[in-house]
Amino acid sequence: LQAIILRLSIHRGKYWANPNLGSRFYLLRRSKDVPRIRLLAIQYAKEALEDLIRLLYRVRFYLMQPKQL
């Protein structure tokens, strides 16, 4: 849960160790509530969580492999 909150709350490009970490939600701060903005918010969330989702898929794939003795 902390990893998700971190990725969604940091401005994308502001974290020194990983410029791809974070979201672009700050761009929506003063936007009106219209369907286009909702689509942008979903896109920004997917973009921010993309590396975490890929990591979870790799872990799941690794755990599904037959164990070697």
Side-chain angles (χ1 to χ4, degrees), residues 2-3 5 12 14 20 22 25 31-33 37-39 46 51 57-59 61-63 65 68:
Q2 287 178 337
I5 293 170
R12 190 167 190 88
K14 294 285 184 173
N20 293 324
F25 281 145
S31 301
K32 294 181 180 182
D33 188 17
I37 299 303
R38 290 183 193 153
L39 291 175
K46 287 179 181 178
D51 63 331
Y57 275 119
R58 278 187 265 158
V59 168
F61 178 76
Y62 174 76
L63 294 175
Q65 296 298 316
Q68 300 288 332

Side-chain angles (χ1 to χ4, degrees), residues 26-57:
Y26 65 92
L27 297 174
L28 304 176
R29 183 163 293 147
R30 297 177 70 65
S31 301
K32 294 181 180 182
D33 188 17
V34 294
R36 183 180 68 84
I37 299 303
R38 290 183 193 153
L39 291 175
L40 278 175
I42 292 169
Q43 177 185 339
Y44 292 166
K46 287 179 181 178
E47 181 181 88
L49 300 174
E50 186 175 43
D51 63 331
L52 189 61
I53 292 168
R54 271 191 264 128
L55 175 65
L56 292 174
Y57 275 119

